[in-house]
Amino acid sequence: MLRRKALDKLKYWKENLAPHYAALLEGARRVGKSTIAEEFARENYRSYIKVDFANINTDLLSAFEDIANQDFFFLKMQTVTGTTLYRRESVIIFNEIQQNPRARQAIKYLVADGRYDYIETGSLISIKKNVKDIVIPSEEHKIPVYPMDYEEFSWAIGNDAYPLLRDLYKSNAPVGNAVNRKLMRDFRLYMAVGGMPQAVQAYVDGKDFSQIDAVKRGIISLYIDDFKKIDDSGLVGRMYRAVPSQLATNKKKYVISAATQKRRIDKDDERLSDLLDSKTVIPCHNTLDPGATLSQTRDDGTYKLYLADTGLFTTMLFDASPNAGDNIYSKLLGDKLSANLGYLYENAAAQVIASTGRDLYYHTWMKEGSTHSYEVDFVLQSGAKIVVFEVKSSARKTHESMDVFFAKYSRQVSDSFIISQTDAVPQDKPKPRPLYMLPFILEEMESDTAAE
């Protein structure tokens, strides 16, 4: 069993919020929601029943026909599954809850009954279409589940250096070229494998990169099939597949018509909404005025998209060479790819940020007297201030956009960073920091916000 942080969040829910709230694990397909729910149930309850609405037999499904009669409902569930439920010692898992909206609506009454706890799991790609005729229960405690972050990946592969990385960051000193190269190679391994549990498990089991790549291609294919279920035009899938190529061409925003190869229509807004609901992509909105609160100056029509998992991004990036897996991966690990892969590192940074639950913003503005523009990759809220990031794949020392941005918004900027592969340089501004230290920058921001 891969160790996941969502287990700790479920523990908090059980100790502080159950039985008055059901836990809802929500996230993209294949991020491990079902496994997390079942592992938690095994370790923390006397018994549990798992109802998988994506693969349910007719006898069990018939129990939901008269869910208002709760005594009969619980009796039939126990009879069909052969599992005894114990008052306040058992939990019922509703897996893929979006497949049965009526069961989700019944959560309100099941929670009020109070006999058992409830964990729901759901990928929300089609949930809006399934809940239009029901009342969404307010008795749900939502727990987002992301692809495995770098710390979870380190746990999985037996790399115990993560706490040392935190100490190195806090020391505010360079780690030295040799150590930095090793630590960056470790992080590039995470970028190559990614955080999808099946891919991580394949790596742990000793599979080679061709086999790991096949696992990831299977997940991508599953996503494309899911998109076709809600939009049979196939355009949502095209929008998903276009994410790496649009970042690679350094576009200032995601362009739907470039992804679909069709003139944009009103229906595309619904398709974008479905894509965002799938949690397979990370939106990053342009903020029109970083001097104000970012959420209040968000431009809903200007945004970038990143893939929620950089391992899938790596696979899609090299999709033109499906048989070159091991060679490409070895070059990535050795930092010997000839292409400018700044956008690959940018996606990795976006995934790190998104896994903390933060909203992502960027800022672009025109150069005075020019047709060109400035851009900073990420602008994050930190209390009343903002923190600014640029992400680079190489050790380039130029940061004109950051300099101009800081001059314009110096009163609002509490800190600024150049995230790349280079070692920390404490005295420089913006602060150069290697990508593997980004999680600790975000931790520090969270501490600073809490202290305000």
Side-chain angles (χ1 to χ4, degrees), residues 195-250:
M196 303 304 287
Q198 284 179 287
V200 175
Q201 190 63 60
Y203 178 80
V204 171
D205 291 343
K207 305 297 186 184
D208 62 33
F209 276 111
S210 292
Q211 294 168 305
I212 295 169
D213 205 57
V215 170
K216 292 190 289 178
R217 290 179 189 278
I219 295 171
I220 293 167
S221 179
L222 174 71
Y223 287 168
I224 299 301
D225 289 343
D226 279 347
F227 296 142
K228 287 180 180 176
K229 292 175 184 176
I230 60 170
D231 180 66
D232 58 11
S233 71
L235 295 181
V236 179
R238 285 194 197 178
M239 291 163 62
Y240 174 71
R241 284 190 176 277
V243 170
S245 62
Q246 293 216 14
L247 290 173
T249 53
N250 200 30

Side-chain angles (χ1 to χ4, degrees), residues 7 11 14 39-46 89:
L7 292 169
K11 185 176 181 181
K14 185 177 188 298
E39 174 70 12
F40 185 80
R42 270 195 298 268
E43 295 296 323
N44 293 275
Y45 290 91
R46 186 175 175 184
E89 295 183 89

Side-chain angles (χ1 to χ4, degrees), residues 139-423:
E139 296 78 10
E140 288 177 333
H141 175 63
K142 295 181 179 180
I143 299 174
V145 181
Y146 305 99
M148 296 172 70
D149 67 18
Y150 186 44
E151 185 172 18
E152 291 173 314
F153 179 77
S154 297
W155 292 336
I157 67 172
N159 183 347
D160 57 2
Y162 196 86
L164 298 176
L165 296 183
R166 183 179 285 110
D167 292 339
L168 287 171
Y169 172 75
K170 290 179 179 179
S171 73
N172 197 35
V175 300
N177 288 336
V179 174
N180 181 66
R181 282 196 299 272
K182 192 270 181 192
L183 295 176
M184 269 310 309
R185 188 184 187 283
D186 291 346
F187 194 88
R188 288 196 299 272
L189 173 62
Y190 172 60
M191 292 170 62
V193 176
M196 303 304 287
Q198 284 179 287
V200 175
Q201 190 63 60
Y203 178 80
V204 171
D205 291 343
K207 305 297 186 184
D208 62 33
F209 276 111
S210 292
Q211 294 168 305
I212 295 169
D213 205 57
V215 170
K216 292 190 289 178
R217 290 179 189 278
I219 295 171
I220 293 167
S221 179
L222 174 71
Y223 287 168
I224 299 301
D225 289 343
D226 279 347
F227 296 142
K228 287 180 180 176
K229 292 175 184 176
I230 60 170
D231 180 66
D232 58 11
S233 71
L235 295 181
V236 179
R238 285 194 197 178
M239 291 163 62
Y240 174 71
R241 284 190 176 277
V243 170
S245 62
Q246 293 216 14
L247 290 173
T249 53
N250 200 30
K251 292 183 181 295
K252 298 302 179 185
K253 64 176 183 177
Y254 184 89
V255 181
I256 290 179
S257 59
T260 61
Q261 298 297 304
K262 295 178 180 293
R263 181 175 59 85
R264 179 163 181 166
I265 59 175
D266 291 341
K267 177 73 173 176
D268 289 335
D269 291 329
E270 183 180 342
R271 293 182 176 117
L272 173 65
S273 180
D274 288 334
L275 180 59
L276 295 177
D277 283 344
S278 75
K279 305 298 183 183
T280 60
V281 297
I282 302 166
C284 180
H285 283 89
N286 182 29
T287 172
L288 298 174
D289 182 7
T293 304
L294 299 179
S295 60
Q296 293 178 348
T297 63
R298 183 176 98 170
D299 181 1
D300 288 328
T302 308
Y303 52 87
K304 293 185 177 184
L305 295 180
Y306 298 93
L307 292 193
D309 180 67
T310 301
L312 298 184
F313 188 102
T314 302
T315 292
M316 290 172 66
L317 189 65
F318 305 126
D319 207 31
S321 305
N323 298 317
D326 284 342
N327 183 45
I328 285 176
Y329 282 111
S330 64
K331 286 184 176 180
L332 172 60
L333 294 178
D335 194 28
K336 294 180 179 178
L337 287 169
S338 56
N340 179 4
L341 289 179
Y343 47 90
L344 176 58
Y345 288 83
E346 196 175 316
N347 198 97
Q351 180 180 349
V352 171
I353 296 168
S355 69
T356 67
R358 292 177 174 273
D359 292 329
L360 279 69
Y361 299 91
Y362 73 104
H363 184 55
T364 182
W365 69 106
M366 296 302 298
K367 292 183 178 181
E368 224 173 289
S370 172
T371 57
H372 299 287
S373 59
Y374 294 111
E375 181 180 320
V376 289
D377 294 325
F378 300 110
V379 185
L380 304 184
Q381 198 79 47
S382 181
K385 298 282 190 176
I386 56 176
V387 178
V388 191
F389 299 84
E390 274 198 19
V391 181
K392 302 178 184 296
S393 62
S394 61
R396 288 166 49 199
K397 295 183 178 180
T398 57
H399 38 76
E400 182 183 4
S401 292
M402 290 279 271
D403 295 339
V404 175
F405 183 94
F406 187 80
K408 190 175 181 181
Y409 298 106
S410 58
R411 291 186 178 182
Q412 285 76 35
V413 177
S414 65
D415 221 336
S416 56
F417 296 88
I418 301 292
I419 303 297
S420 69
Q421 299 193 70
T422 59
D423 198 358

Side-chain angles (χ1 to χ4, degrees), residues 67-76 78 87 113 115:
I67 202 169
N69 185 345
Q70 292 175 353
D71 289 338
F72 179 75
F73 171 71
F74 293 131
L75 180 61
K76 187 163 186 178
Q78 293 174 89
R87 183 180 291 268
D113 173 77
R115 272 177 263 189

Side-chain angles (χ1 to χ4, degrees), residues 23-26 33-34 51-54 64 93-107 110 119-124 126-127 130-131 134 137 140:
L24 172 58
L25 300 177
E26 56 180 10
K33 302 182 299 295
S34 302
V51 181
D52 188 351
F53 289 113
F64 291 85
I93 301 170
F94 290 154
N95 194 51
E96 299 294 352
I97 189 68
Q98 78 277 3
Q99 302 281 356
N100 194 316
R102 296 294 174 185
R104 189 180 182 202
Q105 179 175 256
I107 283 292
L110 295 174
I119 300 174
E120 306 165 82
T121 79
S123 52
L124 307 186
S126 59
I127 204 161
N130 289 344
V131 300
I134 73 167
E140 288 177 333

